[in-house]
Amino acid sequence: METERVFENCVKCSEPKSDGPDCLNCGVIYAKAEAKHREDLGKIRIAREELFSEPHCENPVRQYTSSARINKQLAALGEFSIFFTKKEIKYLPNVLREDENVKALSSGLVDGNTWLIVVSDQRLLFLDKGMLYGLKQMEMNYEKVSAVSHSMGLLLASLIVSTSGGIKKIDSIPKNDAPKISNLISDLIRNTHKKDLPTTQNNNMDITSQLERLASLLERGLLTEEEFKTQKEKLLK
């Protein structure tokens, strides 16, 4: 019989456990949080066994869609966790545009359901195919995303995406996926906003407002100090 694991740290915030029943740092009740954590670990273990027990599944995602173009993209992604999202992956040919390329895949919890997270070169997609309903789809265009960050737990992580309409948090993302996805989205946001940088040929815009826009992009981390100085010098010439 497998011995039940004893946690020395809080499973939510990773701080050392206090003597009381709840965490002094984040406020969760230890017993309840640990029971949920063990349940999540069990689901991950079952999904991993199912994923890699299939015959000829050196790269499991290759057989999941009807599109050779998308299958080739998925095969080139490397290691990303896609637990409980096989149904959603099958719908990628119906969702992705002809000129859209997948940069990363993962899975996470949104509003209590497991969603497929798709990072493409054009947008951030969330897909959920329920048992009794059709495909649910959410998307975020990088032009409207102002920032992205992640927080790490013991084995799982969360992704926080900030847009002009609010903040979207995705929980229970595999720990190894979160930093890769967060950095990738940050790069895509930065590249998207660079396309909107003011140029010296745009005489209709006031130089002051252009400088303010550059300062805003720098403050939000969408420009480096060097890029800010270069664009500033161009405006002031």
Side-chain angles (χ1 to χ4, degrees), residues 65-104:
T65 81
S66 58
S67 168
R69 179 182 69 87
I70 294 175
N71 290 343
K72 185 176 180 180
Q73 293 178 25
L74 300 184
L77 293 181
E79 294 185 2
F80 283 95
S81 302
I82 50 173
F83 302 121
F84 304 111
T85 55
K86 289 184 179 180
K87 300 188 301 298
E88 289 79 10
I89 290 176
K90 289 181 180 178
Y91 278 84
L92 286 177
N94 300 328
V95 174
L96 295 175
R97 301 160 182 160
E98 286 296 326
D99 60 343
E100 193 168 12
N101 297 303
V102 178
K103 297 297 185 180

Side-chain angles (χ1 to χ4, degrees), residues 7 9 11 17 29-39:
F7 297 96
N9 296 331
V11 296
K17 292 172 65 174
I29 300 174
Y30 291 131
K32 185 176 180 180
E34 289 171 4
K36 179 65 169 60
H37 190 67
R38 290 190 181 95
E39 180 183 351

Side-chain angles (χ1 to χ4, degrees), residues 33-78:
E34 289 171 4
K36 179 65 169 60
H37 190 67
R38 290 190 181 95
E39 180 183 351
D40 290 340
L41 292 180
K43 289 180 179 179
I44 290 175
R45 183 167 55 252
I46 292 171
R48 184 180 294 276
E49 291 172 355
E50 175 187 348
L51 194 63
F52 293 99
S53 63
E54 298 177 358
H56 309 296
C57 63
E58 180 181 347
N59 191 330
V61 297
R62 291 185 181 180
Q63 61 182 322
Y64 285 171
T65 81
S66 58
S67 168
R69 179 182 69 87
I70 294 175
N71 290 343
K72 185 176 180 180
Q73 293 178 25
L74 300 184
L77 293 181

Side-chain angles (χ1 to χ4, degrees), residues 198-213:
T199 63
T200 53
Q201 285 75 30
N202 191 351
N203 296 322
N204 294 325
M205 290 186 63
D206 181 74
I207 292 181
T208 301
S209 64
Q210 293 184 56
L211 290 173
E212 290 175 350
R213 175 171 172 75

Side-chain angles (χ1 to χ4, degrees), residues 4 18 23 48 58 62 66 95 99 105 119 130 141 153 176-177 202 221:
E4 188 175 75
S18 64
C23 179
R48 184 180 294 276
E58 180 181 347
R62 291 185 181 180
S66 58
V95 174
D99 60 343
L105 287 180
V119 182
N141 293 322
N176 291 336
D177 288 359
N202 191 351

